[in-house]
Amino acid sequence: MNNYQEERMKELFGTLPQNRNMDWDAVTPVIDFEFSRHADPVRARKKNIKRAVKTLKPVKRTIGFFGYKHNKPYQCVVTGVDCRNQDYGDLKREYLLDDRGRTIQFTPWTGVIPGRGRPMSGTYCPQALQLFKLLSEWMEQEERENERGFFRQMRKKGVSFIPIKKPAEKPQTPLASKWGEAFIEAEKDGIPIVRVPDSVGRNRISMLIFDYDYINGVGTDGRPYGHAETINEYMEQEQSQEQMFDAAFDTAMREAYQ
């Protein structure tokens, strides 16, 4: 609130009959929030949330341009009071200081609840910020109770949940754990793997086929793969590798079923 607004507020406040002949330096707003007295605590909390949102909604302009009446960085968007010299007490550490103790600006939203509407340039006075803290606590309680009531709501819809215990994984032997990683890396690098299944289809024998020319990226004469003069040689090597794989497979099958 600028000096004119502050002086105007003091002047208007002084015209009230109960305040005549009184001396004061400033006027601070007090938000008179009426808590719900409903016997059901859940319904009482719902009413408190509704009333708090209504109370904390920023004041809109009544004449002139559309927008909000109090939206300067130092103004409370609810009461319009100048917040630069207000005493926030413990609220300052919670809302107006960062982790390093530096002052930050609290940003209210046009829809009160963070994320609803759009952020404003103004702030909250201590009384409004205290009510916002209560609103946040009520909404957290509401959210926790909604989570607890999820299964009850699903049951009413005919949806039930059955807990399932997954079977424990069979522990691997040290050799299987060690060399299993080697086969995974070989597959990533494109190294051929020959697998021989047993009579029930399980993997019985596995063989890694290393072509050192392929691994080193050169042909038999030292020239890199992809060179125009090595294409025929590469095709011949591919054919010989296929024959070698077939022979290795036949040998493994004979040994496996002897």
Side-chain angles (χ1 to χ4, degrees):
M1 189 181 298
N2 56 35
N3 292 335
Y4 170 77
Q5 289 176 313
E6 187 171 352
E7 292 298 325
R8 181 59 177 162
M9 179 69 75
K10 290 166 60 177
E11 180 181 345
L12 293 174
F13 191 73
T15 59
L16 298 177
Q18 66 271 27
N19 297 326
R20 291 174 183 172
N21 301 322
M22 293 181 62
D23 186 22
W24 59 82
D25 296 324
V27 176
T28 185
V30 176
I31 297 178
D32 187 13
F33 183 79
E34 183 179 355
F35 293 89
S36 174
R37 298 181 180 179
H38 199 285
D40 186 347
V42 176
R43 293 188 178 182
R45 185 175 61 242
K46 290 182 180 295
K47 288 187 176 182
N48 286 335
I49 291 175
K50 186 176 181 180
R51 291 176 182 175
V53 170
K54 183 178 180 180
T55 302
L56 292 175
K57 281 191 175 181
V59 179
K60 292 184 177 181
R61 294 182 182 273
T62 55
I63 57 175
F65 296 102
F66 293 104
Y68 295 90
K69 188 175 182 180
H70 312 300
N71 199 24
K72 295 180 180 179
Y74 55 83
Q75 277 185 317
C76 174
V77 298
V78 178
T79 64
V81 69
D82 188 336
C83 299
R84 287 175 289 189
N85 297 318
Q86 295 289 319
D87 182 11
Y88 284 87
D90 294 336
L91 294 172
K92 182 176 182 179
R93 182 171 59 255
E94 186 172 355
Y95 291 99
L96 303 178
L97 297 177
D98 62 10
D99 296 337
R100 298 183 179 180
R102 296 174 298 188
T103 302
I104 57 176
Q105 173 81 10
F106 176 81
T107 303
W109 289 71
T110 56
V112 180
I113 298 173
R116 292 187 182 178
R118 58 183 178 84
M120 301 190 66
S121 300
T123 186
Y124 280 150
C125 64
Q127 292 78 14
L129 192 57
Q130 180 62 46
L131 181 57
F132 176 80
K133 179 180 179 180
L134 290 175
L135 172 63
S136 301
E137 293 174 354
W138 291 330
M139 294 190 65
E140 287 179 4
Q141 294 172 5
E142 193 87 358
E143 185 176 354
R144 287 196 297 268
E145 291 193 0
N146 288 339
E147 290 176 353
R148 288 197 296 267
F150 171 76
F151 293 104
R152 183 170 60 253
Q153 294 174 2
M154 291 296 101
R155 195 180 304 114
K156 291 180 180 179
K157 294 182 179 181
V159 179
S160 59
F161 295 86
I162 301 175
I164 299 176
K165 185 176 181 180
K166 296 182 179 180
E169 294 184 1
K170 185 178 179 180
Q172 291 184 326
T173 63
L175 280 177
S177 177
K178 177 181 179 180
W179 288 100
E181 296 294 332
F183 277 87
I184 293 175
E185 293 299 323
E187 289 181 336
K188 291 180 180 179
D189 294 335
I191 296 175
I193 301 176
V194 177
R195 293 184 172 89
V196 181
D198 59 13
S199 58
V200 295
R202 295 177 302 180
N203 187 29
R204 172 72 184 279
I205 299 174
S206 298
M207 294 179 290
L208 292 175
I209 308 300
F210 289 98
D211 183 338
Y212 286 98
D213 288 338
Y214 171 77
I215 293 175
N216 294 322
V218 296
T220 55
D221 57 357
R223 289 173 298 183
Y225 274 120
H227 192 279
E229 298 178 2
T230 64
I231 298 299
N232 293 332
E233 179 185 342
Y234 178 77
M235 296 298 295
E236 293 175 358
Q237 288 183 354
E238 284 289 309
Q239 185 177 2
S240 64
Q241 282 185 353
E242 290 181 2
Q243 295 174 355
M244 181 181 62
F245 292 160
D246 293 339
F249 181 80
D250 293 339
T251 301
M253 290 294 291
R254 286 195 299 270
E255 293 178 354
Y257 296 105
Q258 282 181 352

